[in-house]
Amino acid sequence: MTALICGSYAFDTIMVFPDRFQRHILPDQVHMLNVSFLVPELRREFGGCAGNVAYNLKLLGGEGYGMGTVGHDFAPYAAWLDECGLSRRFLREVPAFTAQAYITTDVDDNQITAFHPGAMSHSHENTVPRDAGITLGIVSPDGRDGMLQHAEQFADAGIPFIFDPGQGLPMFDGDDLTRFVELSNWVALNSYEAAMLCERTGLTIDQVAERCEAVVVTAGGEGSTIYADGEVIVIPAAKPTAVVDPTGCGDAYRAGLIYGLMNDCDWETTGRIASLMGAIKIAHPGTQNHTFTRDGFAERFKAEFSYAL
């Protein structure tokens, strides 16, 4: 099976402020805020939801294509994709900057982020292919029009897909979200997103699950819950070797979901594959700096969950 991973590609510029923001922001002066933070530590990472999911799926041995719009500055990311053996077949370059996130973190892990969508706003210029052997898809955070159109295109092509709104969820009203749910086969959310989706649609999480095949709700270190076939399946959180950086853990988890679905695993196993992927990611900085062998993953899975894949 081959997955089409629709979503963003982005550069993440991450800066670390070796102090606390609160010491430099005067609460009674926030109406005229003008502050500067000296950030001696800086790194640039390759990110974006589609890029992250594709990277993690490749580690698991799954076949996938990322589909997104990128800018004229994409060359370093393109070289990284080539180095990793990740396809650029469905990436479209447009006359804009690649999406960029500028993140400043203080010693308490508070963050100030500025995000420029850039090329991501052109995502609707890509179309889900019908003749590329795609057997499964995911609609992850991207340009608003692109997400709407790609969901319709997957459904029209008869390709089952995951709806993963992520940080793009606030762009949609209740009718949009209900439509996404009804078109999709599976819905993936974190607990905050699940609450927002229910509030905007007026549906309970059980009612959402009745409109598709399964709803997956993650809760970080508390594990995740899968609502499928009238059952509520509790998935334990895998234990990380370290907690370094949670950025991209959700994308790693979703790659695990895709891999489980592609290999006809039951939900208990699919959820555990996804959980272990998140635990591996959180032990490394950035979103695409972790690596493992398939045999190593299988060994760790057995040690973590007491049965073999």
Side-chain angles (χ1 to χ4, degrees), residues 46-268:
F46 302 122
C49 294
N52 296 339
V53 172
Y55 177 83
N56 284 281
L57 184 60
K58 179 74 173 181
L59 291 180
L60 282 167
E63 183 71 24
Y65 295 114
M67 187 173 85
T69 41
V70 302
H72 49 68
D73 56 344
F74 193 67
Y77 204 150
W80 169 248
L81 295 177
D82 293 345
E83 181 181 336
C84 296
L86 291 164
S87 173
R88 293 191 277 131
R89 179 178 175 183
F90 296 111
L91 300 189
R92 177 191 293 266
E93 183 176 318
V94 299
F97 286 107
T98 300
Q100 318 257 342
Y102 296 90
I103 305 163
T104 304
T105 303
D106 73 0
V107 295
D108 291 329
D109 288 331
N110 295 308
Q111 291 186 333
I112 297 174
T113 300
F115 184 76
H116 173 65
M120 198 174 83
S121 301
H122 295 259
S123 63
H124 58 281
E125 296 176 19
N126 273 332
T127 302
V128 171
R130 290 174 173 262
D131 57 354
I134 303 299
T135 51
L136 188 148
I138 181 170
V139 174
S140 62
D142 209 347
R144 183 181 187 278
D145 291 345
M147 292 179 70
L148 290 165
Q149 293 179 24
H150 296 154
E152 295 282 355
Q153 290 161 8
F154 274 128
D156 288 346
I159 299 172
F161 73 96
I162 300 169
F163 173 50
D164 169 30
Q167 294 179 336
L169 194 150
M171 296 189 294
F172 304 105
D173 61 22
D175 290 341
D176 292 331
L177 293 170
T178 300
R179 178 64 175 165
F180 275 123
V181 169
E182 292 175 344
L183 288 173
S184 66
N185 297 77
W186 312 283
V187 177
L189 308 155
N190 65 28
S191 54
Y192 180 82
E193 293 157 3
M196 181 180 288
L197 183 141
C198 289
E199 187 274 330
R200 293 200 172 184
T201 61
L203 301 171
T204 66
I205 201 69
D206 291 320
Q207 290 171 330
V208 174
E210 289 171 359
R211 286 164 168 76
C212 58
E213 294 181 29
V215 177
V216 181
V217 181
T218 62
E222 298 178 10
S224 51
T225 305
I226 300 175
Y227 301 81
D229 301 320
E231 296 184 52
V232 178
I233 303 164
V234 177
I235 304 296
K239 300 177 182 65
T241 57
V243 178
V244 175
D245 181 3
T247 309
C249 286
D251 297 329
Y253 185 102
R254 279 142 183 78
L257 289 182
I258 293 171
Y259 183 81
L261 290 166
M262 292 171 75
N263 288 277
D264 295 321
C265 297
D266 58 35
W267 281 116
E268 288 80 1

